């Protein structure tokens, strides 16, 4: 059984591109560069550059077309790796199985100690990604997105079910809405996804208050 120390020690040990954590206010670590460099001003500027288009509701969506929880070696998959990175005092057993730890859900602040009840959410849900004018993506591109550590967030099953595949015009977390929408914009910017008008306006309204 292996114990994993998390928090600042983990962040220092893991390349920044592999860690995405909400922090106070509107700041979240950028995918590369110095932590905290993506603030509300940057997120607003990025939002302004996103293509505003009606959701591509005609795009076919099948979750199986977005392969996720890829193996990352040594018996670990991306879900297990995310649990280790985003948890505290995580212990693992044979085959990299996460046995215990503590996770604070980014969406509602609830602490969870049973890894089986922690959901790993895609910041921009897969179905929403499919509606965001990505229908020409290859399977390799969809796989990359579905397993990108900078997209994945450990949360309670309850908050994840409440969110579903909704964008910020329809659902927002009870905790750190500034960090949430800044993260949302960063993901859509990185992957050149579109936003619909209601989504754009909802995000812009929140960023103005940050």
């Amino acid at each position: 059984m292996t114990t994993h120390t998390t928090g600042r020690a983990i962040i220092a040990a893991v390349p920044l591109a592999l860690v995405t954590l909400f922090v106070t206010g509107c700041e979240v670590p950028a995918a590369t560069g110095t932590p905290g460099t993506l603030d509300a001003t940057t997120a607003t500027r990025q939002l302004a550059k996103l293509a505003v288009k009606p959701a591509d509701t005609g795009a076919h969506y099948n979750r199986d077309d977005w392969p996720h929880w890829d193996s990352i070696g040594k018996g670990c998959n991306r879900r297990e790796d995310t649990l280790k990175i985003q948890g505290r005092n995580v212990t693992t057993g044979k085959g990299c199985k996460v046995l215990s730890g503590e996770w604070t859900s980014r969406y509602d602040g609830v602490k969870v100690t049973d890894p089986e009840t922690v959901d790993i959410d895609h910041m921009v849900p897969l179905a929403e990604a499919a509606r965001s004018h990505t229908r020409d993506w290859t399977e390799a591109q969809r796989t990359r997105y579905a397993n990108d550590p900078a997209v994945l967030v450990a949360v309670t099953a309850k908050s994840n079910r409440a969110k579903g595949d909704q964008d910020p015009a329809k659902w927002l977390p009870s905790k750190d809405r500034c960090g949430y929408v800044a993260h949302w914009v960063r993901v859509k910017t990185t992957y050149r996804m579109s936003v619909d008008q209601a989504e754009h306006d909802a995000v812009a309204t929140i960023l103005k208050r940050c």
Side-chain angles (χ1 to χ4, degrees):
M1 182 171 68
T2 304
T3 300
H4 300 265
T5 302
T6 57
R8 292 185 181 275
I10 272 290
I11 294 173
V14 177
L16 188 56
L18 300 185
V19 183
T20 300
L21 298 174
F22 290 124
V23 295
T24 303
C26 298
E27 297 185 348
V28 295
T32 58
T34 305
T37 56
L38 183 56
D39 58 17
T41 300
T42 302
T44 299
R45 186 164 55 246
Q46 290 181 332
L47 177 64
K49 294 179 180 180
L50 291 176
V52 180
K53 301 178 181 180
D56 185 9
T57 55
H60 171 74
Y61 171 69
N62 184 327
R63 189 173 176 84
D64 291 339
D65 292 336
W66 298 71
H68 47 287
W69 310 157
D70 269 3
S71 170
I72 61 170
K74 297 183 179 180
C76 298
N77 64 29
R78 184 58 68 195
R79 171 184 162 81
E80 292 160 340
D81 188 58
T82 302
L83 286 171
K84 288 192 290 183
I85 290 173
Q86 297 189 16
R88 292 178 297 277
N89 301 318
V90 177
T91 62
T92 57
K94 185 177 180 180
C96 203
K97 181 178 176 60
V98 176
L99 302 175
S100 64
E102 182 179 279
W103 296 265
T104 299
S105 171
R106 310 282 172 76
Y107 295 167
D108 53 17
V110 174
K111 291 184 179 180
V112 182
T113 56
D114 180 357
E116 297 295 328
T117 64
V118 178
D119 275 11
I120 304 300
D121 182 43
H122 293 88
M123 171 52 58
V124 175
L126 300 181
E128 167 64 18
R131 293 191 293 265
S132 300
H133 295 270
T134 62
R135 66 163 68 191
D136 61 343
W137 280 12
T138 63
E139 181 173 307
Q141 288 173 305
R142 293 192 297 270
T143 301
R144 178 195 168 201
Y145 176 78
N147 293 278
D148 184 348
V151 172
L152 304 177
V153 189
V155 296
T156 57
K158 181 179 179 180
S159 64
N160 194 26
R161 302 299 184 275
K163 174 181 175 179
D165 64 356
Q166 300 176 96
D167 67 38
K170 301 182 180 75
W171 185 87
L172 288 165
S174 60
K175 298 289 185 180
D176 191 18
R177 292 181 174 183
C178 288
Y180 181 83
V181 297
H183 191 174
W184 181 278
V185 170
R186 181 168 71 88
V187 171
K188 285 220 161 180
T189 297
T190 299
Y191 285 91
R192 299 181 181 179
M193 297 179 187
S194 64
V195 292
D196 64 42
Q197 192 65 60
E199 174 189 356
H200 172 280
D201 294 349
V203 171
T205 296
I206 292 197
L207 289 174
K208 287 178 181 178
R209 299 170 181 167
C210 295

